[in-house]
Amino acid sequence: MGGKKVAGVLGATGSVGQRFILLLADHPDFELKVLGASPRSAGKKYVDAVNWKQTELLPEFAKEIVVCECKAEFFKQCDVVFSGLDADYAGEIESEFVEAGLAVVSNAKNHRRDPDVPLVVPIVNPEHLDMVASKKRGFIVCISNCSTAGLVAPLKPLVEKFGPIEALTTTTLQAISGAGFSPGVPGIDILDNIIPYIGGEEDKIEWETKKILGTLSADRSKVELIPSDQMKVSAQCNRVAVSDGHTECISLKFKNRPAPSVDQVKKCLADYVCEAYKLGCHSAPKQTIHLLEQNDRPQPRLDRNRDAGYGVSVGRVREDPVLDFKMVVLSHNTVIGAAGSGILIAELLLAKKLI
Ligand SMILES: NC(=O)C1=CN([C@@H]2O[C@H](COP(=O)(O)OP(=O)(O)OC[C@H]3O[C@@H](n4cnc5c(N)ncnc54)[C@H](OP(=O)(O)O)[C@@H]3O)[C@@H](O)[C@H]2O)C=CC1
Ligand SMILES: N[C@@H](CC(=O)OP(=O)(O)O)C(=O)O
């Protein structure tokens, strides 16, 4: 075993980028050495370039690193590059990195629908990472949309145990940090308010769920999406005055009859152990799904940091008079919904000897 793998972060000054800095400080497998951001930040020390907005202090190791432009030539030493780039620029920059032979793990939406790119929520579908095994040079792995990550976490064990889901609705209550920091959601818009629209979000949730829960083809080159007529997914997305943590009110109907009981559903969720934990990945949640029995939980402020934000909380599991079941799901949007997923994916790539 060599020493730590060298890591870089693209978009290091943003909402997701700052979370990468926090999660990579003192990481046992990765040493963060290269930070990239826009030409506005390049050339400055990180401490001077960033508008730090996390409740934890800026880690010492990052302060003096000089931010570079997001060009592959500056990241040559990296074994893995995490991307928290603004989606307006991510597509082109990440492609350049892949062409330069680098391994990129991206939060941006640009490459998620590429047929040869795995779209991975590490506590849900790590087997899709096998798609990159045959790539000789660089590759990209995409992390899902943050609301999709929370949604598919309870769906995975339910589908494994009780068979396909025929219909699914989710109404999201999404945190402000999900909108990023440049410029972010203005206080005047969100204070004392709910905004019932997040551009593109509903389509992403409805589409990405079908890829993440899809099946890897026999030759491991692509994922067969669940056809829309076999699983109907409908999302309604809202922005609410919460700093971190996306809440979703989910209802679902199984294809198979009779449907399981509420107690069977609860047991299935509580018993689920993700593959990353079994493989001993450092950041994997000990409890993948925290089943909460109190009537008024989960709540973002109280429950988002379960298993350091890598665990997902599910509460209010009950029968639904229209579909079969309904429940409330809470996930930390910048940890398991973004940077944390990226790091756990890299830990899985390492465990599978793919980096
Ligand atoms: N926030 C969240 O919960 C989630 C976000 N995502 C996705 O992750 C990505 C990052 O999101 P977020 O952190 O919220 O966004 P932010 O707006 O907070 O940060 C964007 C980052 O991109 C950099 N950037 C902007 N323009 C350029 C450029 N021309 N060249 C290079 N870098 C540039 C910025 O650098 P500078 O400071 O120098 O301008 C900054 O570091 C997005 O694609 C987003 O959709 C995905 C899941 C969840
Ligand atoms: N749209 C999400 C965050 C995000 O940027 O998602 P995506 O990576 O799918 O564009 C939110 O507002 O909370």
Side-chain angles (χ1 to χ4, degrees):
M1 252 310 262
K4 291 186 186 186
K5 297 281 182 188
V6 175
V9 172
L10 298 167
T13 48
S15 170
V16 172
Q18 292 183 23
R19 186 61 67 175
F20 271 121
I21 306 271
L22 282 177
L23 296 175
L24 286 167
D26 301 319
H27 193 285
D29 302 325
F30 303 108
E31 186 175 1
L32 181 51
K33 286 195 174 170
V34 194
L35 301 179
S38 78
R40 294 179 293 279
S41 303
K44 296 179 186 164
K45 287 180 183 172
Y46 186 71
V47 66
D48 298 324
V50 72
N51 184 4
W52 188 256
K53 289 187 194 282
Q54 309 301 314
T55 47
E56 296 93 331
L57 294 175
L58 169 53
E60 283 299 322
F61 85 94
K63 287 184 177 173
E64 299 296 311
I65 296 179
V66 175
V67 176
C68 62
E69 284 194 48
C70 295
K71 293 188 174 150
E73 62 195 91
F74 302 128
F75 287 76
K76 273 186 194 151
Q77 61 173 311
C78 295
D79 298 292
V80 60
V81 177
F82 300 101
S83 170
L85 277 172
D86 184 324
D88 284 350
Y89 308 97
E92 212 172 303
I93 293 173
E94 291 169 1
S95 293
E96 185 213 327
F97 275 56
V98 173
E99 275 160 34
L102 290 158
V104 178
V105 180
S106 173
N107 276 280
K109 65 182 177 187
N110 309 63
H111 293 287
R112 289 180 192 155
R113 300 192 191 205
D114 295 2
D116 63 339
V117 170
L119 177 60
V120 174
V121 177
I123 57 173
V124 171
N125 62 332
E127 68 280 6
H128 289 194
L129 290 174
D130 293 351
M131 283 167 73
V132 303
S134 61
K135 310 237 170 186
K136 290 195 183 68
R137 283 177 55 75
F139 61 79
I140 183 163
V141 175
C142 283
I143 302 158
S144 78
N145 165 268
C146 40
S147 298
T148 312
L151 173 66
V152 294
L155 298 187
K156 170 69 184 282
L158 292 176
V159 169
E160 266 179 1
K161 182 108 184 155
F162 305 117
I165 287 166
E166 192 175 277
L168 167 70
T169 66
T170 180
T171 300
T172 71
L173 308 160
Q174 299 185 212
I176 303 165
S177 59
F181 294 161
S182 44
V185 182
I188 191 67
D189 287 344
I190 200 69
L191 193 67
D192 185 31
N193 211 3
I194 291 173
I195 302 167
Y197 176 70
I198 301 175
E201 195 80 351
E202 294 169 356
D203 176 58
K204 281 185 272 185
I205 295 172
E206 291 167 6
W207 191 89
E208 292 179 18
T209 301
K210 292 170 190 145
K211 181 165 179 179
I212 295 162
L213 296 178
T215 313
L216 194 59
S217 64
D219 66 358
R220 302 190 300 170
S221 67
K222 61 177 190 302
V223 168
E224 318 280 0
L225 270 68
I226 300 176
S228 296
D229 59 350
Q230 285 178 28
M231 181 172 74
K232 292 197 167 63
V233 182
S234 170
Q236 297 195 68
C237 297
N238 304 281
R239 183 77 65 200
V240 298
V242 165
S243 59
D244 287 317
H246 287 358
T247 303
E248 300 186 52
C249 301
I250 296 173
S251 290
L252 61 91
K253 184 178 196 307
F254 290 102
K255 178 168 182 267
N256 297 337
R257 303 282 103 191
S261 68
V262 168
D263 283 346
Q264 284 174 315
V265 166
K266 284 185 181 177
K267 182 169 178 352
C268 170
L269 295 173
D271 286 351
Y272 179 58
V273 182
C274 67
E275 189 65 22
Y277 184 74
K278 293 180 196 162
L279 287 170
C281 295
H282 170 73
S283 307
K286 193 170 176 211
Q287 184 68 41
T288 311
I289 295 173
H290 294 257
L291 182 75
L292 307 179
E293 292 287 5
Q294 302 95 315
N295 280 336
D296 59 353
R297 304 289 276 274
Q299 295 179 21
R301 189 150 43 83
L302 303 182
D303 298 306
R304 64 189 165 212
N305 288 327
R306 288 180 185 273
D307 268 286
Y310 287 87
V312 171
S313 298
V314 178
R316 307 212 62 222
V317 181
R318 60 217 193 276
E319 282 182 9
D320 182 312
V322 178
L323 302 179
D324 287 337
F325 297 98
K326 49 187 170 181
M327 60 190 80
V328 181
V329 179
L330 170 75
S331 57
H332 197 305
N333 56 300
T334 63
V335 183
I336 197 59
S341 260
I343 290 165
L344 192 46
I345 285 171
E347 291 171 13
L348 281 160
L349 289 170
L350 200 54
K352 289 170 178 269
K353 300 191 174 19
L354 294 170
I355 53 172

